[in-house]
Amino acid sequence: MTGSGLSEAEITRAVEKIARADGGRLLSNLMGMLRDLQLAEDSLYDALESALVHWQRNGLPASPTGWIMQTAKRKAIDRLRRVANFASKSAYIAHLIELENASDSLQEQETIQDDRLKLIFTCCHPALDRKTAVALTLRSVCGLTTEEIARAFLDKTEAMAQRLVRARHKIHKAGIQYEVPEPEHWRMRLESVLAVIYLIFNEGYASSDAAYLRGELCEEAIRLGRLLIHLCPEQPEAEGLLALMLLHHARSATRLGPAGDLLSLEEQDRGQWDRAMIDEGMALLKTALQRGQAGPYQLQAAIVSLHAQAASFEQTDWREILMLYDLLVLMTSNDVVHLNRLVALAQVRGPQVALEALEQLEAELGNYQPFHAAKAEFLRRLERLDTAEECYHRAIELSSNPAERRFLERRLAGLRRHGDADAYP
Amino acid sequence: MQYMALIYVDPAYQTPPGTAEFGKMMAGYNEANETYKKDGVYIAGDALQPTSTATTVRVRNGKTETMDGPFAETKEFLGGYYLLNCDNLDDAIRYAAMIPHASMGCVEIRPVMVFDNP
């Protein structure tokens, strides 16, 4: 027991909860004042450490976040005082002290300005490497610990920590401004934010990890998506992305079989799909499309929504899906989108047409596992089983994930067992 | 902030004088120069003579050593630069993207280091 009447574990939990729930907001505010993400990060960390000590002694303050904010500002001033080139910073420090004195001693948490939109745009700047932007966003905006992020990417904590330090350094030195971008940069910058959020989602949705699914990353991406449309409303592609993630995530519970094997769309139990989440995604997509500026995320969400609405795989509206893919191909000259389009094409115009089109993509996608899996599937439907078998072998060779590999091995084994296509899978 | 834009030329893209490509490239540079000056971001900018004119200088043990070259124009080489005064990285990226060689090679932009006064 401590002087506060709260156990050490309770205090630790309270501090961790604040770091996770309010860390992004506190950091965004500190960054606005300090203009140096590393300094803001270090000062916030110092303040959280300090909270552990003080709160055990005195109990929780009236406004815990206000207390942390106030302490972080003081820690920042201390840190600045300690650095070698003190003389050149003295005016800056004086300014900070003035700011600090001007603020109420225990700021209510409601008055701590939420600058997370600036923080998101900064962490997702296109001048940062994508993986770095993903990690930095998870750390700074979502409040995940460096250890958690390292684990999510199968990296060593030390390497991840260094990556984050380098990124903060670049932001500071390269002149990445801490502002919501101006109209002439808006498109490029928003695209980059959306791409980072979708990367986080995909890392959870088709993880390189043995477990294949990492639901917590999907949820984190959805949380970010929600935050983005809250902070930055009426952006149809941001709404489209959130709809897309919700519609995918609604199927999470059904994507793996009892043995942890991946199940195809055909094999999933549609009764177990999360209807509330699908409805939310559909409503959001409708709102986005009504703005009259269709984009790649909205189109992908529209495709997934057609799957979500279909009572069975056979009853799926493949014609509509193919039409959406045609539009998507016009917008993004992405080989993977081409490949997905061919899967829809096979459903509408048969496997022979799709196979011929697929062979055109060999040069670009020859080392991409799904290319060979799709080719094997088309060949199977054409009853060219020997060639299909070869393609499955190639796909298995290229797969880096155990759950995916087991899925492909099961398809391969099924080839011979079910000679006629109708009995498959 | 001052940004240095280092223009790297990809030898795979040939633009010999007198060809249509050359004319297009030069027009692109003229347009970029005009925009930089109009927007007040231009500080300096030059093209460099080809690497066949290059001399590499090293001082070892107090002695100046020189070497002819490097000549190899088989990979990307520095072909010129701009020094631009921009508010932030986004602006620097936008101006760098106007450099014709950004689409036939690449442009590296780096902020100029500012030393604290002692």
Coordinates of all heavy atoms in Angstrom, one line a residue, chain B residues 51-113:
Chain B
T51 N 30.6 14.5 -66.5 CA 31.6 13.9 -65.6 C 33.0 13.7 -66.3 O 34.0 13.5 -65.6 CB 31.1 12.6 -65.0 OG1 30.8 11.7 -66.1 CG2 29.9 12.8 -64.2
S52 N 33.0 13.8 -67.6 CA 34.3 13.6 -68.3 C 35.2 14.8 -68.0 O 36.4 14.7 -68.2 CB 34.1 13.5 -69.8 OG 33.3 14.7 -70.2
T53 N 34.7 15.9 -67.4 CA 35.5 17.0 -67.0 C 35.9 17.0 -65.6 O 36.5 17.9 -65.0 CB 34.7 18.3 -67.3 OG1 33.6 18.4 -66.4 CG2 34.3 18.4 -68.7
A54 N 35.5 15.9 -64.9 CA 35.6 15.9 -63.4 C 37.0 15.6 -62.9 O 37.7 14.8 -63.6 CB 34.6 14.9 -62.8
T55 N 37.4 16.2 -61.8 CA 38.7 15.9 -61.2 C 38.3 15.6 -59.7 O 37.6 16.4 -59.1 CB 39.7 17.0 -61.2 OG1 39.8 17.4 -62.6 CG2 41.0 16.7 -60.7
T56 N 38.8 14.5 -59.2 CA 38.6 14.2 -57.8 C 39.8 14.6 -57.0 O 41.0 14.2 -57.3 CB 38.3 12.7 -57.6 OG1 37.2 12.4 -58.4 CG2 38.0 12.3 -56.2
V57 N 39.6 15.3 -55.9 CA 40.7 15.8 -55.1 C 40.7 15.2 -53.7 O 39.6 15.1 -53.1 CB 40.6 17.3 -54.9 CG1 41.8 17.9 -54.1 CG2 40.6 18.0 -56.3
R58 N 41.8 14.7 -53.3 CA 42.0 14.1 -51.9 C 43.2 14.7 -51.3 O 44.2 14.8 -52.0 CB 42.1 12.6 -51.9 CG 40.8 11.9 -52.2 CD 41.1 10.4 -52.0 NE 39.9 9.6 -52.4 CZ 39.6 9.3 -53.7 NH1 40.5 9.5 -54.6 NH2 38.5 8.6 -54.0
V59 N 43.2 15.0 -50.0 CA 44.4 15.3 -49.3 C 44.8 14.1 -48.4 O 44.0 13.8 -47.6 CB 44.3 16.6 -48.5 CG1 45.6 16.9 -47.8 CG2 43.9 17.8 -49.5
R60 N 46.0 13.6 -48.6 CA 46.4 12.4 -47.8 C 47.8 12.8 -47.2 O 48.7 13.1 -48.0 CB 46.5 11.1 -48.6 CG 45.1 10.7 -49.1 CD 44.3 10.1 -47.9 NE 43.0 9.6 -48.4 CZ 41.9 10.4 -48.5 NH1 42.0 11.7 -48.2 NH2 40.8 9.9 -48.9
N61 N 48.0 12.7 -45.9 CA 49.3 13.0 -45.3 C 49.7 14.4 -45.7 O 50.9 14.6 -46.0 CB 50.3 12.0 -45.6 CG 49.9 10.6 -45.2 OD1 49.3 10.4 -44.2 ND2 50.1 9.6 -46.1
G62 N 48.8 15.3 -45.8 CA 49.2 16.7 -46.2 C 49.4 16.9 -47.6 O 49.7 18.1 -48.0
K63 N 49.4 15.9 -48.4 CA 49.7 16.0 -49.8 C 48.4 16.0 -50.7 O 47.5 15.1 -50.4 CB 50.6 14.9 -50.2 CG 51.2 14.9 -51.6 CD 52.3 13.9 -51.8 CE 52.7 13.8 -53.3 NZ 51.6 13.1 -54.1
T64 N 48.3 16.9 -51.6 CA 47.1 16.9 -52.5 C 47.3 15.9 -53.6 O 48.3 15.9 -54.4 CB 46.9 18.3 -53.1 OG1 46.8 19.2 -52.0 CG2 45.7 18.4 -53.9
E65 N 46.3 15.0 -53.7 CA 46.3 14.0 -54.7 C 45.1 14.3 -55.6 O 44.1 14.6 -55.1 CB 46.2 12.6 -54.2 CG 47.3 12.1 -53.3 CD 47.0 10.8 -52.6 OE1 46.0 10.2 -52.9 OE2 47.8 10.4 -51.8
T66 N 45.3 14.2 -56.9 CA 44.2 14.4 -57.8 C 44.0 13.1 -58.7 O 44.9 12.4 -58.9 CB 44.4 15.6 -58.8 OG1 45.6 15.4 -59.5 CG2 44.5 16.9 -58.0
M67 N 42.8 13.0 -59.1 CA 42.4 11.8 -60.0 C 41.5 12.3 -61.1 O 40.6 13.2 -60.8 CB 41.7 10.8 -59.2 CG 42.5 9.5 -59.0 SD 41.6 8.4 -57.9 CE 40.7 7.5 -59.1
D68 N 41.8 11.8 -62.2 CA 40.9 12.1 -63.4 C 39.6 11.4 -63.2 O 39.6 10.3 -62.8 CB 41.6 11.6 -64.6 CG 41.4 12.5 -65.8 OD1 40.7 13.5 -65.6 OD2 41.9 12.2 -66.9
G69 N 38.5 12.1 -63.4 CA 37.2 11.4 -63.3 C 36.5 11.6 -61.9 O 36.9 12.5 -61.2
P70 N 35.5 10.9 -61.5 CA 35.1 9.6 -62.2 C 34.3 9.9 -63.5 O 33.6 10.8 -63.5 CB 34.2 9.0 -61.1 CG 33.6 10.2 -60.4 CD 34.7 11.2 -60.4
F71 N 34.5 9.1 -64.5 CA 33.9 9.3 -65.8 C 32.6 8.4 -65.9 O 31.8 8.8 -66.7 CB 34.8 8.9 -66.9 CG 36.1 9.7 -66.9 CD1 37.3 9.1 -67.3 CD2 36.1 11.0 -66.6 CE1 38.5 9.8 -67.3 CE2 37.2 11.8 -66.7 CZ 38.4 11.2 -67.0
A72 N 32.6 7.3 -65.2 CA 31.5 6.3 -65.5 C 30.2 7.0 -65.5 O 29.7 7.4 -64.4 CB 31.6 5.2 -64.5
E73 N 29.5 7.1 -66.6 CA 28.2 7.6 -66.7 C 27.2 6.4 -66.9 O 26.2 6.6 -67.6 CB 28.1 8.6 -67.8 CG 28.9 9.9 -67.4 CD 28.6 11.1 -68.3 OE1 27.8 11.0 -69.2 OE2 29.1 12.2 -68.0
T74 N 27.6 5.3 -66.3 CA 26.7 4.2 -66.5 C 25.6 4.2 -65.4 O 24.5 3.6 -65.6 CB 27.5 2.9 -66.3 OG1 28.3 3.0 -65.1 CG2 28.4 2.6 -67.5
K75 N 25.8 4.8 -64.3 CA 24.7 5.0 -63.4 C 24.4 6.5 -63.1 O 25.1 7.3 -63.7 CB 25.0 4.2 -62.0 CG 26.4 4.6 -61.4 CD 26.6 3.8 -60.2 CE 27.7 4.1 -59.4 NZ 28.6 4.6 -58.7
E76 N 23.4 6.7 -62.3 CA 23.0 8.1 -62.1 C 24.2 9.0 -61.6 O 25.0 8.6 -60.8 CB 21.9 8.2 -61.1 CG 20.5 7.7 -61.7 CD 19.4 7.7 -60.7 OE1 19.7 7.9 -59.5 OE2 18.3 7.5 -61.1
F77 N 24.3 10.2 -62.2 CA 25.3 11.1 -61.8 C 24.8 12.5 -61.6 O 23.7 12.8 -62.1 CB 26.4 11.1 -62.9 CG 26.0 11.6 -64.2 CD1 26.0 12.9 -64.5 CD2 25.4 10.7 -65.1 CE1 25.6 13.4 -65.8 CE2 25.0 11.1 -66.4 CZ 25.1 12.5 -66.7
L78 N 25.5 13.2 -60.8 CA 25.1 14.6 -60.4 C 25.2 15.5 -61.7 O 26.3 15.6 -62.2 CB 25.9 15.1 -59.3 CG 25.5 16.4 -58.7 CD1 24.1 16.4 -58.1 CD2 26.5 16.9 -57.7
G79 N 24.1 16.1 -62.1 CA 24.1 16.8 -63.3 C 23.9 18.3 -63.1 O 24.2 19.1 -64.0
G80 N 23.5 18.7 -61.9 CA 23.2 20.1 -61.7 C 22.5 20.3 -60.3 O 22.3 19.3 -59.6
Y81 N 22.2 21.5 -60.0 CA 21.5 21.7 -58.7 C 20.7 23.0 -58.7 O 20.9 23.8 -59.6 CB 22.6 21.9 -57.6 CG 23.3 23.2 -57.7 CD1 22.9 24.3 -56.9 CD2 24.4 23.5 -58.6 CE1 23.5 25.5 -57.0 CE2 25.0 24.7 -58.7 CZ 24.5 25.7 -57.9 OH 25.1 27.0 -58.1
Y82 N 19.8 23.1 -57.8 CA 19.2 24.4 -57.5 C 19.3 24.6 -56.0 O 19.3 23.6 -55.2 CB 17.7 24.3 -57.8 CG 17.3 24.5 -59.2 CD1 16.9 23.5 -60.0 CD2 17.4 25.8 -59.8 CE1 16.6 23.7 -61.4 CE2 17.0 26.0 -61.1 CZ 16.6 24.9 -61.9 OH 16.3 25.1 -63.2
L83 N 19.4 25.8 -55.6 CA 19.3 26.2 -54.2 C 18.0 27.0 -54.1 O 17.9 28.1 -54.7 CB 20.5 27.0 -53.8 CG 20.6 27.3 -52.3 CD1 20.7 26.0 -51.4 CD2 21.9 28.2 -52.0
L84 N 17.1 26.5 -53.3 CA 15.8 27.2 -53.2 C 15.4 27.6 -51.8 O 15.7 26.9 -50.9 CB 14.7 26.2 -53.8 CG 14.9 25.7 -55.2 CD1 13.8 24.7 -55.5 CD2 14.8 26.9 -56.2
N85 N 14.7 28.7 -51.7 CA 14.2 29.1 -50.4 C 12.7 28.8 -50.3 O 11.9 29.4 -50.9 CB 14.4 30.6 -50.3 CG 14.4 31.1 -48.9 OD1 14.2 30.3 -48.0 ND2 14.7 32.4 -48.7
C86 N 12.4 27.8 -49.5 CA 11.0 27.3 -49.3 C 10.6 27.4 -47.9 O 11.4 27.2 -47.0 CB 10.9 25.9 -49.8 SG 11.3 25.7 -51.6
D87 N 9.3 27.5 -47.7 CA 8.8 27.5 -46.3 C 8.9 26.2 -45.6 O 9.1 26.1 -44.4 CB 7.3 28.0 -46.3 CG 7.2 29.4 -46.6 OD1 8.2 30.1 -46.4 OD2 6.1 29.9 -46.9
N88 N 8.7 25.1 -46.4 CA 8.6 23.8 -45.7 C 8.9 22.7 -46.8 O 9.0 23.0 -48.0 CB 7.3 23.6 -45.1 CG 6.1 23.8 -46.0 OD1 6.1 23.1 -47.1 ND2 5.3 24.7 -45.7
L89 N 9.0 21.5 -46.3 CA 9.3 20.4 -47.2 C 8.3 20.2 -48.3 O 8.6 19.8 -49.4 CB 9.5 19.1 -46.4 CG 10.0 17.9 -47.1 CD1 11.3 18.1 -47.8 CD2 10.0 16.6 -46.3
D90 N 7.0 20.4 -48.0 CA 6.0 20.2 -49.0 C 6.2 21.1 -50.2 O 6.1 20.7 -51.3 CB 4.6 20.5 -48.4 CG 4.1 19.4 -47.5 OD1 4.7 18.3 -47.6 OD2 3.2 19.6 -46.7
D91 N 6.5 22.4 -49.9 CA 6.8 23.3 -51.0 C 8.1 22.9 -51.7 O 8.1 22.9 -53.0 CB 7.0 24.7 -50.4 CG 5.7 25.4 -50.1 OD1 4.6 24.9 -50.6 OD2 5.7 26.4 -49.3
A92 N 9.1 22.5 -51.0 CA 10.3 22.1 -51.7 C 10.1 20.9 -52.6 O 10.6 20.8 -53.7 CB 11.4 21.7 -50.6
I93 N 9.2 19.9 -52.1 CA 8.9 18.8 -53.0 C 8.2 19.2 -54.2 O 8.5 18.8 -55.3 CB 8.0 17.8 -52.2 CG1 8.8 17.1 -51.1 CG2 7.5 16.7 -53.1 CD1 8.0 16.2 -50.1
R94 N 7.2 20.2 -54.1 CA 6.5 20.6 -55.2 C 7.4 21.3 -56.2 O 7.3 21.1 -57.4 CB 5.4 21.6 -54.7 CG 4.3 22.0 -55.8 CD 3.1 22.5 -55.1 NE 3.4 23.6 -54.2 CZ 3.3 24.9 -54.6 NH1 3.0 25.2 -55.9 NH2 3.6 25.9 -53.8
Y95 N 8.3 22.1 -55.8 CA 9.2 22.8 -56.7 C 10.2 21.8 -57.3 O 10.5 21.9 -58.5 CB 10.0 24.0 -56.0 CG 9.1 25.2 -55.7 CD1 8.8 25.6 -54.4 CD2 8.5 25.8 -56.8 CE1 8.0 26.7 -54.2 CE2 7.6 26.9 -56.6 CZ 7.4 27.3 -55.3 OH 6.5 28.4 -55.1
A96 N 10.7 20.9 -56.5 CA 11.6 19.9 -57.1 C 11.0 19.1 -58.2 O 11.6 18.7 -59.1 CB 12.1 19.0 -56.0
A97 N 9.7 18.8 -58.0 CA 9.0 18.0 -59.0 C 8.9 18.7 -60.3 O 8.6 18.1 -61.4 CB 7.6 17.7 -58.5
M98 N 9.1 20.0 -60.4 CA 9.0 20.8 -61.6 C 10.3 20.6 -62.4 O 10.4 21.0 -63.6 CB 8.8 22.3 -61.4 CG 7.5 22.6 -60.7 SD 7.4 24.3 -60.3 CE 5.9 24.4 -59.3
I99 N 11.4 20.1 -61.8 CA 12.7 19.9 -62.5 C 12.5 18.8 -63.5 O 12.1 17.7 -63.2 CB 13.8 19.6 -61.5 CG1 13.9 20.8 -60.5 CG2 15.1 19.3 -62.2 CD1 14.9 20.5 -59.4
P100 N 12.8 19.1 -64.8 CA 12.6 18.1 -65.8 C 13.3 16.7 -65.5 O 12.7 15.7 -65.8 CB 13.2 18.7 -67.1 CG 13.0 20.1 -66.9 CD 13.2 20.4 -65.4
H101 N 14.5 16.7 -64.9 CA 15.1 15.5 -64.6 C 14.5 14.7 -63.5 O 14.9 13.5 -63.3 CB 16.6 15.7 -64.4 CG 17.4 15.8 -65.7 ND1 17.7 16.9 -66.3 CD2 17.8 14.8 -66.5 CE1 18.4 16.7 -67.4 NE2 18.5 15.4 -67.5
A102 N 13.5 15.3 -62.8 CA 12.8 14.5 -61.8 C 12.0 13.4 -62.5 O 11.8 12.3 -61.9 CB 11.8 15.4 -61.0
S103 N 11.7 13.6 -63.8 CA 11.0 12.5 -64.5 C 11.9 11.7 -65.4 O 11.5 10.8 -66.1 CB 9.8 13.0 -65.3 OG 9.9 14.4 -65.5
M104 N 13.2 12.0 -65.3 CA 14.2 11.2 -66.1 C 15.4 10.9 -65.3 O 16.5 10.9 -65.8 CB 14.7 12.0 -67.3 CG 13.6 12.6 -68.2 SD 14.4 13.5 -69.6 CE 14.9 15.1 -68.8
G105 N 15.2 10.6 -64.0 CA 16.3 10.4 -63.1 C 15.7 10.7 -61.8 O 14.6 10.2 -61.5
C106 N 16.4 11.5 -60.9 CA 15.7 11.8 -59.7 C 16.4 13.1 -59.1 O 17.4 13.5 -59.5 CB 15.8 10.7 -58.6 SG 17.5 10.3 -58.1
V107 N 15.6 13.7 -58.2 CA 16.1 14.9 -57.5 C 16.2 14.6 -56.0 O 15.2 14.2 -55.5 CB 15.2 16.1 -57.9 CG1 15.7 17.3 -57.1 CG2 15.2 16.4 -59.4
E108 N 17.3 14.8 -55.4 CA 17.4 14.7 -54.0 C 17.3 16.1 -53.3 O 18.1 16.9 -53.7 CB 18.7 14.0 -53.6 CG 19.0 13.8 -52.2 CD 20.3 13.2 -51.9 OE1 20.8 12.4 -52.7 OE2 20.9 13.5 -50.8
I109 N 16.4 16.2 -52.4 CA 16.4 17.5 -51.7 C 16.8 17.4 -50.3 O 16.4 16.5 -49.5 CB 15.0 18.2 -51.8 CG1 13.9 17.2 -51.5 CG2 14.8 18.8 -53.1 CD1 12.5 17.9 -51.5
R110 N 17.7 18.3 -49.9 CA 18.2 18.3 -48.5 C 18.2 19.7 -48.0 O 18.6 20.7 -48.7 CB 19.6 17.8 -48.5 CG 19.8 16.4 -49.1 CD 20.2 15.4 -48.1 NE 21.5 15.7 -47.5 CZ 22.7 15.2 -47.9 NH1 22.7 14.4 -49.0 NH2 23.8 15.5 -47.3
P111 N 17.7 19.9 -46.7 CA 17.8 21.3 -46.1 C 19.2 21.7 -45.9 O 20.1 20.8 -45.6 CB 17.0 21.1 -44.8 CG 16.8 19.7 -44.6 CD 17.2 18.9 -45.8
V112 N 19.5 22.9 -46.1 CA 20.9 23.4 -45.8 C 21.0 23.5 -44.3 O 20.1 24.0 -43.6 CB 21.1 24.8 -46.5 CG1 22.3 25.5 -46.0 CG2 21.0 24.6 -48.0
M113 N 22.2 23.1 -43.8 CA 22.3 23.1 -42.3 C 22.6 24.5 -41.8 O 23.3 25.3 -42.5 CB 23.5 22.2 -41.9 CG 23.5 21.9 -40.4 SD 24.9 21.0 -39.9 CE 24.5 19.4 -40.3

